[in-house]
């Protein structure tokens, strides 16, 4: 006997990457956080926050943020909806578009939250394997009879980027809604927002967690056609973004230059890290994100994960087909990446510098 709905009783919950407390010595390259601080404008806004904003309910639509997003992408504020992280926007999308027993489709491997959200909803999933180099299987996805397609671009945990134009062509022949999850798009060639604006069935999800260094703030937004955005509004919690985070998010969006500079530093380190990993015998999937998926020499991903952990370096490992011979490494600061590479050299017995 259980108190839970069947769907909830049957499912396992999401497993987030480890968030250890305290240990400053730890090199944390496991959850794709930005290693650089957020804009000083955000910090100033937080410092100057007047307590009286906490007494009242916040703006239910986070209007200052919607206006800024509208200006950034040349869309109307009515095309934008904000969320408590883009994870909440994914929850809203599942709630709004996929009924019990209906189909949600996505390529695999991808963000491991997608199947969890589908399970909560009691939805059926169609998982379409990516190609040999983890290419997005656009043709096969278009042929699913899904209500909702979840496309992470660049994809996690592979870093593989798909041209938004190709996603647009897929959306044109697909009968359901396409959600493009752009958590990492700022680290890649570009966003799909402008490229896909005007399509009736495409929503683009963006977050301040990665490129804006604000994972702890919990702020994301979705951009799409007004009709879809209006529908999502119906299923959201009334006050889903708090007053402090709305002010801080608006301040972050006022400082694109800060974000762009940090993104440039991460990209530069991504190239260096990729080269050094390859020199150590890793096969690195070309990444458009702030992490790299690296196939470890010998293929024992778990051993490398454990070995690094024992040396105080956290990376991400999945014990599942196509990933168990890899580790996913977040691009850190030059010093953090240096410690990672040093540890890998020690572990492979190549610690002697030439
Ligand atoms: C980090 C991440 C998100 C969103 O994160 P929030 O912190 O909830 O905004 C969404 N999708 C993917 C693939 C991510 O990696």
């Amino acid at each position: 006997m259980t108190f839970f709905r069947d769907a909830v009783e049957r499912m396992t919950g999401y497993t987030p990457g480890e968030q250890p407390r305290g240990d400053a010595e730890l090199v944390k390259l496991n959850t794709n956080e930005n290693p650089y601080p957020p804009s000083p404008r955000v910090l100033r806004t937080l410092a100057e926050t007047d307590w009286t904003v906490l007494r009242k309910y916040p703006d239910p639509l986070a209007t200052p943020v919607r206006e800024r997003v509208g200006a950034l992408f040349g869309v109307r504020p009515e095309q934008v909806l904000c969320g408590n992280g883009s994870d909440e926007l994914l929850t809203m999308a599942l709630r709004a578009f996929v009924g019990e027993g209906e189909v949600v489709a996505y390529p695999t491997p991808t963000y491991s939250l997608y199947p969890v959200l589908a399970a909560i909803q009691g939805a059926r999933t169609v998982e379409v394997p990516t190609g040999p180099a983890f290419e997005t299987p656009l043709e096969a996805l278009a042929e699913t009879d899904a209500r909702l397609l979840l496309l992470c671009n660049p994809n996690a945990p592979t870093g593989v980027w798909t041209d938004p134009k190709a996603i647009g062509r897929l959306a044109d022949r697909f009968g359901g809604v396409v959600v493009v999850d752009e958590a990492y798009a700022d680290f890649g060639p570009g966003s799909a927002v402008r490229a896909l604006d005007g399509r009736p069935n495409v929503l683009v999800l963006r977050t301040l967690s990665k490129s804006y260094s604000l994972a702890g703030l919990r702020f994301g937004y979705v951009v799409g056609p007004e009709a879809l955005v209006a529908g999502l509004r119906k299923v959201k919690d009334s006050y889903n973004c708090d007053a402090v985070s709305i002010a801080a998010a608006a301040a972050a969006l006022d400082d694109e230059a800060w974000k762009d500079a940090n993104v440039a530093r991460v990209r530069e380190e991504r190239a260096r890290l990729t080269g050094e990993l390859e020199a150590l015998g890793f096969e690195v999937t070309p990444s458009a994100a702030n992490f790299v998926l690296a196939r470890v020499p010998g293929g024992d991903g778990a051993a490398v994960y454990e070995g690094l952990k024992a040396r105080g370096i956290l990376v991400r490992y999945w014990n599942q087909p196509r990933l168990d011979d890899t580790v996913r490494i977040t691009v850190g600061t030059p010093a953090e990446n240096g410690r990672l590479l040093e540890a890998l050299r020690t572990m492979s017995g190549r610690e002697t510098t030439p």
Side-chain angles (χ1 to χ4, degrees):
M1 137 88 195
T2 171
F3 291 113
F4 291 99
R5 288 166 48 221
D6 281 352
V8 175
E9 184 64 26
R10 276 196 307 267
M11 65 178 283
T12 38
Y14 178 67
T15 312
E18 300 155 79
Q19 294 290 0
R21 291 227 222 156
D23 195 349
E25 283 303 295
L26 219 59
V27 176
K28 195 172 173 309
L29 303 176
N30 66 333
T31 50
N32 300 340
E33 286 129 340
N34 195 311
Y36 301 110
S39 163
R41 292 197 194 206
V42 173
L43 308 182
R44 210 179 311 137
T45 298
L46 290 174
E48 289 168 2
T49 298
D50 175 350
W51 69 265
T52 59
V53 305
L54 297 178
R55 191 178 59 77
K56 294 178 286 182
Y57 281 105
D59 178 342
L61 290 176
T63 305
V65 176
R66 291 162 78 227
E67 287 169 354
R68 281 164 176 82
V69 171
L72 272 177
F73 291 102
V75 299
R76 294 179 300 282
E78 292 74 23
Q79 292 181 259
V80 184
L81 190 67
C82 298
N84 185 20
S86 55
D87 284 352
E88 189 200 17
L89 297 163
L90 286 164
T91 299
M92 286 183 211
L94 266 292
R95 227 187 249 167
F97 301 120
V98 192
E100 199 162 329
E102 293 179 333
V103 174
V104 50
Y106 46 83
T108 54
T110 192
Y111 188 25
S112 52
L113 181 67
Y114 299 160
V116 175
L117 296 179
I120 293 172
Q121 198 65 10
R124 286 187 294 139
T125 54
V126 171
E127 303 189 334
V128 184
T130 53
F134 298 116
E135 310 92 318
T136 305
L138 294 168
E139 288 299 314
L141 286 166
E143 277 151 25
T144 62
D145 60 349
R147 302 296 302 256
L148 181 66
L149 209 60
L150 298 173
L151 274 186
C152 185
N153 195 40
N155 195 16
T158 60
V160 170
W161 188 72
T162 305
D163 191 332
K165 289 198 209 78
I167 297 175
R169 288 192 293 274
L170 156 73
D172 289 342
R173 45 187 286 237
F174 180 69
V177 171
V178 178
V179 163
V180 185
D181 179 349
E182 288 200 339
Y184 302 103
D186 288 337
F187 301 100
S191 169
V193 171
R194 281 174 196 275
L196 302 185
D197 189 28
R199 281 195 168 70
N201 61 338
V202 176
L203 291 167
V204 181
L205 261 57
R206 316 238 329 145
T207 176
L208 272 58
S209 293
K210 315 284 168 44
S211 54
Y212 291 86
S213 312
L214 289 169
L217 190 72
R218 312 303 308 132
F219 212 97
Y221 59 87
V222 57
V223 187
E226 265 183 58
L228 292 190
V229 169
L232 284 178
R233 257 166 81 165
K234 293 198 283 187
V235 305
K236 85 176 189 70
D237 291 346
S238 326
Y239 302 105
N240 58 325
C241 298
D242 68 86
V244 177
S245 77
I246 293 169
L253 294 171
D254 282 337
D255 198 354
E256 288 288 287
W258 183 273
K259 180 258 295 172
D260 291 343
N262 285 340
V263 164
R265 292 201 272 178
V266 169
R267 281 188 179 144
E268 210 172 293
E269 270 301 288
R270 178 179 71 204
R272 184 181 78 93
L273 179 63
T274 300
E276 302 262 348
L277 286 168
E278 285 172 347
L280 284 168
F282 287 76
E283 274 174 50
V284 182
T285 301
S287 171
N290 68 339
F291 55 81
V292 293
L293 186 73
R295 187 182 179 279
V296 313
D300 191 348
V304 171
Y305 163 80
E306 292 295 347
L308 286 171
K309 192 172 177 179
R311 289 167 174 79
I313 299 163
L314 287 183
V315 298
R316 196 86 194 260
Y317 166 73
W318 288 274
N319 183 14
Q320 61 172 258
R322 299 193 72 189
L323 295 178
D324 58 3
D325 57 352
T326 69
V327 289
R328 190 199 64 191
I329 304 167
T330 304
V331 178
T333 61
E336 289 172 326
N337 302 332
R339 275 192 55 191
L340 166 91
L341 291 162
E342 197 52 47
L344 290 173
R345 279 185 205 107
T346 310
M347 287 159 59
S348 68
R350 300 197 207 185
E351 68 269 47
T352 43
T353 35

